[in-house]
């Protein structure tokens, strides 16, 4: 009974919002604000068509591949940079500038350099690398001096030191960066496919717009929301497992991971 | 040291574009781009685009703060409301605001209000969540001290909760600025009809591939982002010196 | 009239894994102008006692009255100094603003003079514009004491106020407390786990048993008004009394629930 009540408490506002939305849109019959039931129909129609293999899977593939490449580059570079004051001083301003560029502007740049149909992956990688990189640098810098001294006393090899001490200490920040990067990848996937692509979720979204297919647009938006939620939840799950040894997440890490 | 780093960056860029490592036609060398940055900043047409983008970002940020801070305070301090509303929030938050661009363009049009609405949607979340989390993290001893001196519920909210949450809220605002700027530029890029840096770059890249302008516009947008971040960080340090990590505590 | 009357006071916490009775059937009174020390073993419920007296939590049994009025909610003429000064001072307020915090009802001018007086009384005249985190631990606790004094409470509650500072600072702060309470005639109830401190500071010492805490002894401290860290602590009366308190504490029967 108690659990049922709690469940109701959690979902009632959501349910009411959907019902009100349905009633309002039915009453208003606005051309672009579609009722949830119509959106659901459109979603079933679109997601079960060829789009699944031709747009959704390639779109997600780009997103994950781009994010993974950005993550590897970011973590490796971040750990090295975080432990070298010289490198950080030299590259800090350059990186600060590069990450300040609004990532969507990378779209025209890469469209011109590598071609409009092939620019999606570089755009995602370039835009998503900064949160991981900068957070990893921050985490690697923060290794406390006792750990540094302990490692010296035990004469750890450089690899042991970086992989066994620095990386685990930096892990909470790394994960915060990974989550930010993931939502950035999703955004860049959409915008790069919107502007110029032959397939993908963003492409379908632009197509629905050109066809004045409002329920279709809503359906793709919902799919993107679901994907964002799903990926973030999976990453959180992974993070909890990887950081099980940590007493609890710092406020800072949590606060930094809310962007998107 | 930092200067050497910057110099190396420009040297690599220059060499890369001149040796055709990357097709030089596309990656214009800094010796061509940087002068263009300077001349662009002097052109009224570009100035208007720059002002339009920055203004839209600031308006969106202002609206986002006005909405998200009170909402975060309510969600953070009234658990029943929070439990009830969180499902809806968790559903809305992951929707990338750029995914709403096509829909917003057909419903609202291509005017500045479209990019502002979308940027508000994107900028809302970091501020909302930081406000909420910050309220969770208030030291109970602070609240208890205030109560022991006879401060009531509203007094505790105003005199203890707000000031102790302020630095984290501000961090949210800083994150949100970057998001708002990115969303505004995205909207300009996609919809084309509205004046701004995004549209400027789009036209430069489409109309005869004027790569000097594309890169110069991108560099200037980057400088805007960099400047805003520096400014906000500086303000953060000035306003909230008490919340900064101090030596010896690490 | 008694300043503070505690009658049959008991508090039981209800948690997920059963209940825990922190204090049970406490009985004592404090006269106006007295400094009473409460000493007891660690974890015997001293903090619970202070929290119920200050109205921060509602006791499950018994009553607390402050100059005759039953305490229900936080009384308006009471102030508290907590052990953890770094957390009870507000880091976003300057030292002066921290001291002025409880003085909302006064005019601006009165507030400023009161705060200045209180800071001068604890020897921090020059530090008003600094922030708590720019001060040493001992100085921060002085600020907390100044804040409590500026409020001019009928009763000042102190929860292990000197437990987090080093020994040297601790002696200084103890003498500071004795001096200001003489000057301002404040009634103080101070909780500590340090036997020497309770005897050195108190006009009376209340000895508590292990949890759930009850009063096992109420001792007068015949050391006079003027005390000194070296001569008082080496006097026979002091040594006798601390031996008695120590004996009571170690033999204090742990009551079976």
């Amino acid at each position: 009974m108690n659990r049922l009540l709690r469940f109701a408490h959690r979902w009632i506002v959501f349910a009411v919002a959907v019902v009100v939305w349905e009633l309002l849109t039915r009453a208003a019959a606005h051309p672009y604000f579609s009722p949830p039931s119509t959106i659901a129909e459109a979603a079933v129609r679109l997601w079960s068509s060829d789009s699944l293999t031709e747009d959704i899977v390639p779109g997600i593939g780009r997103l994950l591949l781009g994010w993974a490449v950005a993550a590897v580059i970011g973590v490796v570079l971040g750990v090295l940079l975080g432990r070298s004051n010289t490198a950080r001083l030299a590259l800090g301003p350059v990186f600060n500038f590069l990450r300040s560029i609004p990532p969507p502007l990378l779209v025209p740049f890469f469209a011109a350099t590598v071609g409009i149909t092939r620019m999606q992956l570089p755009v995602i990688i370039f835009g998503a690398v900064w949160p991981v990189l900068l957070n990893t640098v921050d985490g690697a810098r923060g290794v406390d001096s006792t750990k540094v001294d302990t490692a010296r006393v035990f004469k750890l090899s450089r690899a042991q030191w970086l992989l066994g001490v620095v990386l685990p200490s930096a892990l909470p920040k790394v994960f915060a960066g990974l989550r930010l990067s993931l939502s950035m990848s999703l955004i860049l996937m959409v915008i790069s496919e919107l502007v110029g692509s032959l397939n993908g979720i963003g492409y379908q979204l632009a197509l629905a717009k050109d066809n004045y297919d409002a329920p279709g647009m809503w359906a793709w938006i919902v799919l993107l929301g679901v994907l964002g939620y799903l990926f973030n939840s999976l990453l959180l799950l992974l993070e909890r497992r990887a950081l099980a040894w940590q007493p609890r997440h710092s406020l800072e890490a949590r606060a930094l991971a809310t962007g998107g | 040291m930092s200067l050497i780093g910057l110099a190396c960056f420009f040297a690599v860029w220059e060499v890369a574009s001149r040796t055709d490592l990357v097709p030089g036609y596309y990656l214009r060398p800094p010796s061509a781009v940087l002068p263009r940055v300077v001349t662009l900043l002097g052109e009224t047409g570009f100035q208007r685009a720059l002002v339009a983008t920055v203004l839209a970002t600031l308006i969106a940020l202002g609206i986002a703060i006005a909405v998200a801070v009170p909402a975060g305070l309510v969600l953070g301090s009234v658990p029943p409301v929070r439990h009830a509303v969180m499902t809806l929030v968790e559903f809305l938050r992951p929707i990338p605001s750029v995914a709403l661009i096509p829909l917003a363009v057909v419903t609202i049009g291509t005017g500045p209000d479209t990019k502002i609405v979308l940027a508000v949607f994107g900028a809302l979340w970091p501020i909302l969540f930081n406000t909420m989390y910050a309220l969770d993290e208030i030291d109970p001893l602070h609240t208890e001290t205030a109560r022991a001196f006879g401060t009531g519920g509203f007094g505790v909210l105003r005199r203890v909760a707000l000031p102790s949450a302020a630095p984290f809220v501000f961090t949210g605002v800083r994150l949100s600025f970057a998001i708002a700027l990115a969303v505004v530029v995205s909207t300009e890029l996609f919809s084309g009809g509205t004046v701004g840096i995004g549209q400027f770059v789009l036209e430069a890249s489409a109309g005869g591939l004027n790569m000097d302008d594309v890169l110069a516009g991108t560099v200037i947008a980057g400088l805007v982002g960099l400047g805003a971040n520096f400014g906000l960080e500086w303000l953060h340090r000035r306003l909230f010196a008490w919340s900064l990590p101090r030596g010896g505590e690490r | 009239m008694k300043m503070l009357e505690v009658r049959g006071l008991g508090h039981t916490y209800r948690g997920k894994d059963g209940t825990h009775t922190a204090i049970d059937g406490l009985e004592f009174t404090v006269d106006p102008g007295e400094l009473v020390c409460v000493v007891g073993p660690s974890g015997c419920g001293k903090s619970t006692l202070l929290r119920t007296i200050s109205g921060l939590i509602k006791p499950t049994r018994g009553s607390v009255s402050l100059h005759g009025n039953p305490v229900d909610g936080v009384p308006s003429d009471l102030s508290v100094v907590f052990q953890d000064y770094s957390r009870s001072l507000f880091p976003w307020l300057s030292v002066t603003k921290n001291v002025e915090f409880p003085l909302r009802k006064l005019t601006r001018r009165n507030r400023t003079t009161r705060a200045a007086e209180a800071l001068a009384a604890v020897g921090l005249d020059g530090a008003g514009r600094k922030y708590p985190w720019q001060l040493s631990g001992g100085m921060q606790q002085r600020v907390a004491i100044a804040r409590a004094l500026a409020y001019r409470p009928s009763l000042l509650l102190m929860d292990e106020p000197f437990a987090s500072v080093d020994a040297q600072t601790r002696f200084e702060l103890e003498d500071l407390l004795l001096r200001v309470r003489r000057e301002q005639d404040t009634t103080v109830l101070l909780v500590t786990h340090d036997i020497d401190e309770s005897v050195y500071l108190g006009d009376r010492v209340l000895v508590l048993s292990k949890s759930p805490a009850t009063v096992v002894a109420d001792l007068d401290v015949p050391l006079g008004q003027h005390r000194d860290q070296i001569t008082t602590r080496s006097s026979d009366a002091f040594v006798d009394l601390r031996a008695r308190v120590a004996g009571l504490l170690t033999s204090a029967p742990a009551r079976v629930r």
Side-chain angles (χ1 to χ4, degrees):
Chain A
M1 189 59 213
N2 212 344
R3 282 180 62 179
L4 196 73
L5 217 68
R6 230 178 307 157
F7 178 82
H9 192 181
R10 276 189 65 95
W11 286 92
I12 188 101
V13 172
F14 183 78
V16 167
V18 172
V19 170
V20 168
W21 180 253
E22 175 87 33
L23 293 176
L24 276 181
T25 45
R26 286 214 174 279
H30 191 278
Y32 292 115
F33 286 95
S34 320
S37 50
T38 320
I39 297 172
E41 275 166 38
V44 171
R45 170 171 52 86
L46 288 169
W47 302 351
S48 58
S49 66
D50 292 345
S51 268
L52 181 65
T53 49
E54 278 169 25
D55 297 300
I56 300 178
V57 171
I60 294 176
R62 270 179 206 134
L63 161 75
L64 291 180
L65 184 62
W67 175 66
V69 173
V72 171
I73 298 175
V75 170
V76 171
L77 222 57
V79 167
L80 295 175
L81 230 63
R83 296 314 301 173
S84 157
N85 284 322
T86 334
R88 204 168 52 243
L89 266 173
L91 293 174
V94 176
F95 284 179
N96 251 328
F97 168 71
L98 289 177
R99 71 122 188 217
S100 299
I101 297 173
L105 281 181
L106 302 169
V107 172
F109 172 72
F110 280 110
T113 41
V114 300
I116 196 155
T117 54
R118 285 184 300 162
M119 54 73 176
Q120 285 81 14
L121 207 55
V123 166
I124 295 173
I125 296 172
F126 192 90
V129 78
W130 305 113
V132 194
L133 177 64
L134 296 170
N135 268 303
T136 310
V137 168
D138 222 28
R141 271 181 80 180
V143 178
D144 61 75
S145 51
T146 322
K147 288 210 186 73
V148 177
D149 293 343
T150 315
R152 281 226 183 109
V153 170
F154 287 121
K155 300 209 166 40
L156 294 189
S157 72
R158 185 138 182 90
Q160 272 179 316
W161 158 242
L162 289 179
L163 291 178
V165 181
V166 176
L167 192 59
S169 313
L171 220 48
K173 290 241 169 178
V174 173
F175 269 106
L178 284 175
R179 282 220 302 281
L180 276 175
S181 285
L182 192 60
S183 59
M184 181 57 82
S185 304
L186 187 69
I187 290 169
L188 289 175
M189 188 238 327
V190 175
I191 185 86
S192 66
E193 289 180 351
L194 270 178
V195 171
S197 176
L198 299 177
N199 63 354
I201 301 172
Y203 166 76
Q204 283 292 337
L205 193 55
L207 200 67
K209 180 212 161 213
D210 291 342
N211 293 336
Y212 297 100
D213 173 13
M217 274 194 269
W218 283 106
W220 293 115
I221 291 170
V222 169
L223 177 68
L224 286 166
V226 170
L227 285 178
Y229 183 78
L230 209 67
F231 288 142
N232 194 50
S233 304
L234 286 175
L235 194 57
L236 264 175
L237 208 69
L238 189 72
E239 178 176 340
R240 269 195 211 116
R241 295 209 139 188
L243 298 182
W245 52 273
Q246 280 255 330
R248 67 196 271 277
H249 293 202
S250 72
L251 173 68
E252 194 184 1
R254 263 166 57 191
L256 281 172
T258 52
Chain B
M1 205 56 225
S2 303
L3 289 177
I4 299 176
L6 275 175
C8 285
F9 171 68
F10 284 122
V12 169
W13 178 2
E14 183 85 35
V15 170
S17 67
R18 287 201 182 265
T19 54
D20 280 353
L21 197 74
V22 185
Y25 184 71
Y26 299 123
L27 185 64
R28 301 286 294 147
S31 52
V33 172
L34 294 184
R36 187 68 190 126
V37 167
V38 177
T39 52
L40 262 187
L41 285 174
E43 286 173 17
T44 30
F46 183 80
Q47 284 169 354
R48 276 185 50 212
L50 186 61
V51 169
T53 299
V54 172
L55 207 60
T57 306
L58 289 177
I59 293 173
L61 195 63
I63 298 175
I65 293 171
V67 174
V69 171
L73 287 177
V74 171
L75 293 187
S77 50
V78 192
V81 178
R82 180 171 178 168
H83 290 307
V85 179
M86 269 327 259
T87 313
L88 191 61
V89 171
E90 293 286 356
F91 178 79
L92 289 177
R93 175 166 73 131
I95 298 176
S97 38
V98 290
L100 300 174
I101 294 176
L103 190 71
V105 167
V106 293
T107 45
I108 316 178
T110 54
D113 35 353
T114 307
K115 52 187 179 188
I116 291 173
V117 167
L118 291 171
V120 168
F121 182 81
L124 217 54
W125 310 113
I127 305 176
L128 179 74
F129 278 80
N130 275 26
T131 309
M132 239 164 63
Y133 288 150
L135 286 186
D136 283 351
E137 300 278 326
I138 290 174
D139 192 326
L141 200 58
H142 283 155
T143 321
E144 215 159 73
T145 305
R147 282 184 53 213
F149 286 118
T151 313
F154 183 72
V156 170
L157 182 72
R158 198 173 61 81
R159 301 177 70 201
V160 178
L162 272 183
S164 86
F168 302 109
V169 177
F170 197 87
T171 304
V173 171
R174 214 176 74 222
L175 288 171
S176 287
F177 181 91
I179 293 172
L181 181 63
V183 175
V184 165
V185 169
S186 302
T187 316
E188 292 165 356
L189 264 181
F190 181 78
S191 65
T194 166
V195 179
I197 295 185
Q199 186 214 29
F200 172 84
V201 170
L202 181 74
E203 281 180 356
S205 74
L209 284 172
N210 187 350
M211 282 312 284
D212 282 355
D213 278 2
V214 172
L215 284 175
T218 306
V219 166
I220 290 170
L223 290 176
V224 168
L226 191 67
N229 200 45
F230 268 138
L232 289 171
E233 267 179 1
W234 176 83
L235 206 61
H236 193 285
R237 275 196 304 275
R238 287 221 42 171
L239 291 176
F240 308 118
W242 60 269
S243 73
L244 301 175
R246 278 174 285 282
E249 277 187 353
R250 189 164 250 180
Chain C
M1 188 192 295
K2 300 288 182 199
M3 179 58 77
L4 176 72
E5 271 188 271
V6 173
R7 294 281 166 239
L9 189 69
H11 190 75
T12 304
Y13 290 101
R14 268 169 242 288
K16 276 184 190 138
D17 23 87
T19 59
H20 166 69
T21 302
I23 52 177
D24 198 10
L26 279 174
E27 293 259 351
F28 64 88
T29 58
V30 177
D31 285 326
E34 255 189 326
L35 197 167
V36 175
C37 288
V38 177
V39 62
S42 313
C44 78
K46 291 173 298 210
S47 290
T48 307
L49 171 63
L50 280 196
R51 278 176 170 70
T52 46
I53 293 177
S54 59
L56 287 170
I57 54 177
K58 226 181 157 60
T60 39
R61 293 175 298 285
S63 67
V64 176
S65 322
L66 198 60
H67 37 69
N69 308 318
V71 168
D72 181 26
V74 181
S76 61
D77 50 354
L78 175 141
S79 59
V80 187
V81 173
F82 292 100
Q83 171 184 346
D84 202 342
Y85 46 81
S86 64
R87 289 171 52 210
S88 81
L89 294 178
F90 302 109
W92 55 89
L93 296 178
S94 68
V95 164
T96 302
K97 292 281 172 213
N98 257 293
V99 176
E100 287 178 3
F101 185 90
L103 310 176
R104 299 235 70 203
K105 295 195 184 90
L106 303 184
T107 62
R108 194 187 180 78
R109 192 201 238 146
N110 281 341
R111 236 183 310 182
T112 324
T113 33
R114 274 259 198 116
E117 280 169 18
L119 282 173
V122 299
L124 281 178
D125 321 59
R129 302 186 61 162
K130 291 202 165 146
Y131 283 83
W133 40 270
Q134 294 172 316
L135 304 176
S136 69
M139 279 158 89
Q140 289 184 41
Q141 195 59 310
R142 281 170 197 249
V143 177
I145 295 172
R147 178 172 65 185
L149 291 173
Y151 193 50
R152 305 238 172 107
S154 317
L155 178 66
L156 171 58
L157 298 175
M158 304 184 95
D159 185 3
E160 303 254 11
F162 312 129
S164 300
V165 294
D166 61 79
Q168 187 68 41
T169 312
R170 178 171 207 171
F171 285 169
E172 278 170 34
L173 290 179
E174 284 170 1
D175 288 334
L176 173 96
L177 176 65
L178 287 178
R179 178 171 56 78
V180 292
R181 81 110 185 175
R182 236 179 6 246
E183 286 166 7
Q184 312 203 351
D185 202 26
T186 319
T187 313
V188 183
L189 183 71
L190 184 146
V191 161
T192 177
H193 67 268
D194 183 323
I195 300 168
D196 291 43
E197 182 170 276
S198 69
V199 175
Y200 183 69
L201 290 175
D203 297 326
R204 269 163 58 212
V205 175
L206 295 173
V207 184
L208 298 189
S209 67
K210 284 192 189 123
S211 176
T214 50
V215 179
V216 291
D218 183 344
L219 308 169
D220 275 317
V221 182
L223 291 173
Q225 279 275 312
H226 292 272
R227 304 182 187 186
D228 173 271
Q229 291 288 357
I230 294 159
T231 52
T232 308
R233 279 178 192 266
S234 54
S235 71
D236 291 342
F238 182 90
V239 175
D240 281 354
L241 208 55
R242 63 172 285 230
R244 271 184 71 196
V245 175
L248 283 163
L249 274 177
T250 42
S251 67
R255 296 202 320 184
V256 187
R257 258 181 279 172

